[in-house]
Amino acid sequence: MEEDEPELAAGLEAALELAPAVQAAIEQVFPSQDPLDRADFNAVEYINTLFPTEQSLANIDEVVNKIRLKIRRLDDNIRTVVRGQTNVGQDGRQALEEAQKAIQQLFGKIKDIKDKAEKSEQMVKEITRDIKQLDHAKRHLTTSITTLNHLHMLAGGVDSLEAMTRRRQYGEVANLLQGVVNVLEHFNKYMGIPQIRQLSERVKAAQNELGQQILADFEEAFPSQGTKRPGGPSNVLRDACLVANVLDPRIKQEIIKKFIKQHLSEYLVLFQENQDVAWLDKIDRRYAWIKRQLVDYEEKYGRMFPQEWCMTERIAVEFCHVTRAELAKIMRTRAKEIEVKLLLFAIQRTTNFEGLLAKRFSGCTLADGAVKKPEVPPPSANPFLEDETGTETDEIVIEKSDMDKPKKPKVPDNPFHGIVSKCFEPHLYVYIESQDKNLGELIDRFVADFKAQGPPKPNVDEGGAVLPSCADLFVYYKKCMVQCSQLSTGEPMIALTTIFQKYLREYAWKILSGNLPKTTSSSGGLTITSLLKEKEGSEVAKFTLEELCLICSILSTAEYCLATTQQLEEKLKEKVDASLVERINLTGEMDTFSIVISNSIQLLVQDLDAACDPALTAMSKMQWQNVEHVGDQSPYVTSVILHIKQNVPIIRDNLASTRKYFTQFCIKFANSFIPKFINHLFKCKPISMVGAEQLLLDTHSLKMVLLDLPSIGSQVVRKAPASYTKIVVKGMTRAEMILKVVMAPHEPPVVFVDNYIKLLADCSTDTFQKILDMKGLKRSEQSSMLDLFRQRLPAPPSGVENTGSLSLSAPTPEQESSRIRKLEKLIKKRL
């Protein structure tokens, strides 16, 4: 019995298994929490739930009775539902038949409505047919009447036009012709009709006849050969101009061309190439002649031509084109006779005349491409932007504070700029060569003046003075730039820029670098390369107060030249044509002034560094193993501090206007002095414990002096720059750590080696060897120490070979200084 029960349960589960969609629909319609209703019902789990323990089997009869009662209820419900579904099929068929009958009735009603709608539409069409016919008839009738009226007007207008043309009644023709042309436009779609085409041809013939007749009248009034009509312009010609406005534009252009040609015929005769007045020195007479002619035209012919023809401006523009061609031709022929003053005189008078035209005329008649209108440069904030409307004799002063001055608004563009003066551009090489010569003489005068006057006097109250020649140079530069931009904004500006570059470099080398004080050493005079050489033991003469002030003055001048050259580059780019902007580049010249600044700072650093060398040498030669007690700072420290207090205040006061370069001086001095101090520290051997303590005290004293270096000897105490402070703290702390390692006992060796690695973070065996020498250890002891040191070194990073000289941290100050010096040597060698 027990063996058959699992087979029976499996059979029931297979029989009652429903599709997932059916099961989901049942759960949605009849939601239930009863475990018996679940699709995954498990009888064993259900029984275990009812009887979790053996004690619960005591209630088995009660549970069985409940299940049997539930089964009976389910049987009753199933029986009721089955009986209720007996008549469902018959009721469904009856409902379907009723629905089909209702659909048939609805379809019949819709068909009736559609038939009635079609009948209504047909009835409406029959009612509105007559109304539409009347509307079409009215529209056609209106069009026919309008067309007939236009035809009548056209026929009558053509007849009147032909009659008035024969009688030269141009006043009436001007109004009538425009009307006839407008009416004829309405018949464009009727040109297939012979009569309409004939009228159109008559209008064209009348227009041609009018054009030829008006040209003949003007030829008679203003013949190409001979003099003008004595009686002056007539009303007939004035009306003829009104007719020409309606005719083909070529008629108007022909009238204007012939009149202007006849009006300027006298000019071509008076200023022929072989005439004395045709040369540049009498160019004023050309412009005076056209002024008189324009006044004469206004008095005699001002009312003859319509105002919109702008005849006065057209005459002036044609005069400019003729003058430019004539001047270009005569200058090509007599190019050898052109001098700078003569060329500038002619250009100035020409540009003045072009400015006069701009004030009088709007430039509306200028042909496309005939004159290139200058572009408006953006507002600039450089010291070159000043009043540029003056002549070339104006004196201009360039100051550093010009950058803060309000700039004057730029004058409006001149549409006539270059309309005549363009012809001078091919000959501006004369001007460029002249400026090249003048600038060469100016540089030579600067050199001679510096030699004659000597270096500037020390001036510690107002800071380092900029050399006066610097301002004079840039004053002349601006004068040339303004003058050349008025002459041309094309290739001549590029040529002038090349000249500027040439003499900026010459000024940097001849005036600035050439006058830097020379130091005398065992190797002879100082050169750019030897500036960076640091040979121990070489004696370098200390600079005097005047020489220090001169170096600072040259540095300030180079800094001013650097800033002003950048502003000069920006101004040149504003002046030159947009297509040539990329060819303006003064970066090389700015780099040259940067090199002068770097050399000047290096000289100052070298001077102070050399002054401290004897004190450091004395430190390394002292018998530190014999020092018995720690006292005040040593004499060599006092000597170093004395040299610093002598030089630094002078340099700071003379570089007050260029504070950033004083900071660079301090940083470079720290980068040079600290590694040198550490190298001399290694030479102090052997050192006793007391000697190391004394050196540590001296090192701390030097550290405090170096931290106070930027404001030493100043009444106003300023906080040193963070970049400088970081260098001093890092370098001098290393020196202190070296002495602390020396002071530490070397027994036990492991502790000593670990302490060294921790304090110095330096895995170099050379440095460790120097520390052992300073402690005075014997070679045998040093050998065992070095072996232990190599064993205690931390493992190198993967991929890096252990060469015995690895660094655990950033490069030391002496390494940084050495790399900087090598870089500077390479730069100087290339230059």
Side-chain angles (χ1 to χ4, degrees):
M1 188 70 170
E2 293 178 354
E3 293 177 354
D4 295 338
E5 286 182 357
E7 295 179 358
L8 180 62
L12 290 174
E13 288 179 0
L16 295 176
E17 185 176 357
L18 302 176
V22 176
Q23 186 65 38
I26 292 174
E27 291 178 357
Q28 185 176 3
V29 177
F30 302 106
S32 173
Q33 300 297 329
D34 193 342
L36 295 173
D37 294 333
R38 295 179 60 85
D40 55 350
F41 173 74
N42 191 320
V44 176
E45 291 182 359
Y46 183 67
I47 293 172
N48 290 336
T49 305
L50 294 177
F51 306 105
T53 61
E54 293 182 1
Q55 291 78 5
S56 61
L57 293 175
N59 300 327
I60 189 170
D61 294 335
E62 182 180 352
V63 174
V64 170
N65 291 332
K66 287 182 180 180
I67 292 176
R68 287 175 178 173
L69 178 60
K70 191 169 185 179
I71 292 172
R72 284 197 296 269
R73 288 178 180 174
L74 286 173
D75 289 341
D76 292 341
N77 291 338
I78 292 171
R79 191 181 300 111
T80 303
V81 171
V82 170
R83 289 175 180 175
Q85 295 296 322
T86 304
N87 298 326
V88 169
Q90 184 177 356
D91 293 342
R93 284 191 296 273
Q94 185 178 356
L96 179 60
E97 291 175 358
E98 291 176 357
Q100 289 176 347
K101 291 179 181 179
I103 291 173
Q104 290 176 357
Q105 292 175 1
L106 180 61
F107 181 75
K109 290 180 180 180
I110 292 174
K111 186 176 181 181
D112 293 341
I113 293 172
K114 183 179 179 182
D115 294 340
K116 290 179 181 180
E118 291 176 353
K119 292 179 181 179
S120 299
E121 184 180 0
Q122 187 65 26
M123 188 181 299
V124 171
K125 287 182 179 179
E126 292 176 356
I127 295 172
T128 58
R129 182 182 295 113
D130 296 337
I131 297 175
K132 289 182 179 179
Q133 290 178 352
L134 291 175
D135 288 341
H136 288 308
K138 179 182 177 182
R139 185 165 56 252
H140 293 161
L141 184 59
T142 303
T143 304
S144 300
I145 293 172
T146 303
T147 304
L148 288 173
N149 287 335
H150 287 164
L151 182 59
H152 177 71
M153 292 169 57
L154 180 61
V158 171
D159 293 337
S160 301
L161 182 62
E162 292 174 345
M164 291 177 182
T165 300
R166 288 190 295 271
R167 294 194 296 270
R168 283 184 167 78
Q169 296 177 349
Y170 296 132
E172 292 79 2
V173 168
N175 297 324
L176 180 60
L177 180 59
Q178 186 63 55
V180 169
V181 172
N182 293 337
V183 171
L184 188 59
E185 291 178 357
H186 293 285
F187 291 93
N188 287 336
K189 56 185 175 180
Y190 303 117
M191 286 300 171
I193 302 174
Q195 291 80 0
I196 302 298
R197 186 167 58 251
Q198 183 181 3
L199 287 174
S200 175
E201 293 173 354
R202 289 177 62 189
V203 171
K204 292 181 180 178
Q207 289 177 325
N208 293 334
E209 184 180 353
L210 275 171
Q212 298 301 324
Q213 189 170 300
I214 290 172
L215 289 176
D217 291 344
F218 270 93
E219 180 65 26
E220 181 182 355
F222 306 103
S224 300
Q225 302 294 333
T227 57
K228 302 172 189 175
R229 176 176 291 184
S234 64
N235 293 333
V236 174
L237 295 180
R238 182 184 61 189
D239 295 339
C241 292
L242 298 177
V243 176
N245 269 336
V246 186
L247 297 174
D248 190 334
R250 288 177 294 181
I251 302 298
K252 171 185 170 182
Q253 295 299 329
E254 187 68 20
I255 293 173
I256 293 173
K257 181 180 178 181
K258 287 187 175 182
F259 180 82
I260 294 177
K261 182 179 180 181
Q262 193 275 341
H263 214 71
L264 295 179
S265 58
E266 180 184 352
Y267 172 71
L268 295 174
V269 174
L270 291 177
F271 293 91
Q272 285 182 2
E273 185 178 353
N274 56 0
Q275 299 295 324
D276 184 54
V277 293
W279 189 230
L280 299 181
D281 58 346
K282 296 182 176 58
I283 198 170
D284 280 342
R285 299 191 182 183
R286 294 177 180 267
Y287 305 132
W289 182 89
I290 190 60
K291 291 176 185 178
R292 292 194 303 270
Q293 291 298 314
L294 293 179
V295 172
D296 181 67
Y297 167 82
E298 291 287 349
E299 294 176 354
K300 294 183 178 180
Y301 307 102
R303 297 183 181 180
M304 186 177 75
F305 295 98
Q307 187 174 0
E308 62 270 18
W309 285 21
C310 302
M311 286 298 295
T312 309
E313 181 176 330
R314 290 180 185 276
I315 294 173
V317 170
E318 183 61 24
F319 166 82
C320 292
H321 292 326
V322 172
T323 302
R324 183 174 64 186
E326 292 295 320
L327 288 176
K329 183 169 62 174
I330 194 173
M331 283 192 291
R332 282 195 303 269
T333 305
R334 305 171 63 177
K336 295 182 179 180
E337 301 179 29
I338 300 177
E339 299 177 353
V340 176
K341 292 183 179 180
L342 180 61
L343 182 65
L344 293 180
F345 167 78
I347 293 175
Q348 181 186 0
R349 294 297 186 268
T350 302
T351 52
N352 290 344
F353 175 70
E354 291 172 348
L356 182 64
L357 293 180
K359 294 178 181 178
R360 174 64 178 82
F361 305 116
S362 63
C364 60
T365 63
L366 294 175
D368 294 338
V371 178
K372 182 176 181 181
K373 299 175 72 171
E375 297 182 0
V376 181
S380 176
N382 63 68
F384 287 89
L385 185 56
E386 296 176 358
D387 188 3
E388 300 177 359
T389 59
T391 63
E392 64 275 6
T393 59
D394 292 341
E395 294 185 359
I396 305 164
V397 179
I398 300 176
E399 300 291 344
K400 291 184 180 181
S401 60
D402 285 349
M403 192 180 298
D404 303 325
K405 294 180 181 179
K407 304 299 181 276
K408 298 186 178 182
K410 196 167 182 67
V411 297
D413 290 341
N414 179 4
F416 295 92
H417 177 72
I419 191 171
V420 178
S421 57
K422 199 75 173 178
C423 65
F424 297 111
E425 188 167 320
H427 304 278
L428 285 179
Y429 68 89
V430 177
Y431 171 78
I432 301 299
E433 292 173 355
S434 173
Q435 296 308 321
D436 187 5
K437 180 181 177 182
N438 293 341
L439 282 169
E441 294 174 354
L442 188 65
I443 294 296
D444 293 340
R445 180 167 62 83
F446 289 160
V447 174
D449 290 347
F450 192 93
K451 291 180 179 178
Q453 298 173 5
K457 302 299 180 182
N459 185 4
V460 297
D461 296 330
E462 300 180 1
V466 176
L467 297 179
S469 59
C470 173
D472 295 341
L473 178 66
F474 283 103
V475 164
Y476 193 83
Y477 270 16
K478 178 181 177 180
K479 178 179 172 182
C480 295
M481 180 183 63
V482 173
Q483 200 172 55
C484 188
S485 65
Q486 293 175 350
L487 307 180
S488 172
T489 57
E491 288 294 336
M493 284 292 288
I494 302 298
L496 185 66
T497 302
T498 304
I499 299 299
F500 285 175
Q501 292 174 302
K502 172 184 175 182
Y503 289 103
L504 282 173
R505 291 191 297 269
E506 286 201 13
Y507 185 84
W509 296 122
K510 289 185 178 180
I511 307 299
L512 301 182
S513 290
N515 289 306
L516 283 173
K518 304 295 188 297
T519 58
T520 57
S521 63
S522 59
S523 60
L526 182 68
T527 63
I528 295 177
T529 305
S530 64
L531 282 174
L532 305 175
K533 290 184 178 179
E534 296 181 1
K535 294 183 178 179
E536 291 192 20
S538 62
E539 297 181 0
V540 180
K542 194 176 185 321
F543 290 138
T544 62
L545 173 62
E546 290 77 10
E547 289 175 332
L548 287 177
C549 292
L550 174 61
I551 295 173
C552 294
S553 179
I554 289 176
L555 192 153
S556 299
T557 302
E559 189 269 341
Y560 173 71
C561 290
L562 176 63
T564 313
T565 300
Q566 183 177 2
Q567 296 162 354
L568 174 64
E569 180 183 26
E570 295 172 0
K571 194 60 183 177
L572 286 168
K573 288 182 177 179
E574 293 176 11
K575 296 291 185 183
V576 79
D577 291 340
S579 59
L580 302 175
V581 168
E582 295 299 328
R583 295 173 61 183
I584 303 291
N585 187 358
L586 302 183
T587 305
E589 288 63 42
M590 289 187 274
D591 292 343
T592 301
F593 288 115
S594 297
I595 292 172
V596 174
I597 293 173
S598 178
N599 290 345
S600 302
I601 295 175
Q602 189 61 37
L603 270 179
L604 297 173
V605 171
Q606 185 189 25
D607 179 62
L608 182 56
D609 202 18
C612 297
D613 278 347
L616 296 179
T617 303
M619 176 191 75
S620 62
K621 291 181 178 180
M622 288 182 63
Q623 301 297 322
W624 291 103
Q625 74 275 20
N626 298 330
V627 177
E628 298 178 353
H629 62 275
V630 179
D632 294 334
Q633 63 187 27
S634 302
Y636 75 90
V637 177
T638 305
S639 175
V640 170
I641 295 174
L642 178 62
H643 288 303
I644 290 176
K645 288 184 176 180
Q646 287 177 349
N647 281 30
V648 173
I650 297 173
I651 296 172
R652 182 183 59 245
D653 293 340
N654 278 275
L655 296 181
S657 59
T658 55
R659 188 74 186 176
K660 64 178 180 179
Y661 293 115
F662 174 69
T663 303
Q664 287 188 20
F665 159 76
C666 295
I667 292 174
K668 285 192 175 184
F669 175 72
N671 281 326
S672 174
F673 176 80
I674 294 175
K676 186 178 292 186
F677 172 74
I678 293 176
N679 289 334
H680 280 80
L681 203 61
F682 283 135
K683 296 179 181 179
C684 299
K685 55 185 179 182
I687 303 177
S688 64
M689 179 66 69
V690 178
E693 291 178 356
Q694 181 63 50
L695 277 173
L696 187 61
L697 175 63
D698 295 341
T699 301
H700 181 72
S701 300
L702 285 175
K703 178 180 178 181
M704 300 310 296
V705 170
L706 289 175
L707 288 174
D708 191 43
L709 181 71
S711 58
I712 194 169
S714 175
Q715 297 179 354
V716 180
V717 179
R718 293 184 179 180
K719 185 178 179 180
S723 58
Y724 170 76
T725 303
K726 182 178 179 181
I727 293 173
V728 173
V729 171
K730 182 178 179 181
M732 296 306 290
T733 300
R734 175 176 170 80
E736 292 174 342
M737 292 300 103
I738 290 172
L739 292 173
K740 287 181 180 180
V741 171
V742 172
M743 293 169 61
H746 60 278
E747 296 291 343
V750 174
V751 176
F752 176 77
V753 171
D754 290 344
N755 190 41
Y756 168 83
I757 295 175
K758 179 181 178 181
L759 292 178
L760 287 181
D762 188 351
C763 295
S764 171
T765 55
D766 294 338
T767 304
F768 188 69
Q769 177 77 52
K770 292 176 182 178
I771 296 290
L772 298 179
D773 291 340
M774 293 174 70
K775 291 183 68 66
L777 296 181
K778 297 179 180 179
R779 289 297 176 185
S780 58
E781 294 176 328
Q782 291 185 14
S783 177
S784 61
M785 280 285 190
L786 286 171
D787 293 339
L788 180 62
F789 173 72
R790 294 188 182 96
Q791 295 174 5
R792 304 292 293 178
L793 284 177
S798 59
V800 180
E801 296 182 0
N802 185 8
T803 60
S805 180
L806 301 175
S807 177
L808 297 177
S809 62
T812 60
E814 57 264 29
Q815 291 171 339
E816 288 286 351
S817 177
S818 177
R819 286 155 71 178
I820 291 173
R821 287 196 300 271
K822 289 179 180 178
L823 179 62
E824 290 178 340
K825 287 179 180 179
L826 290 175
I827 293 173
K828 300 304 175 186
K829 190 173 182 180
R830 286 188 62 186
L831 293 172

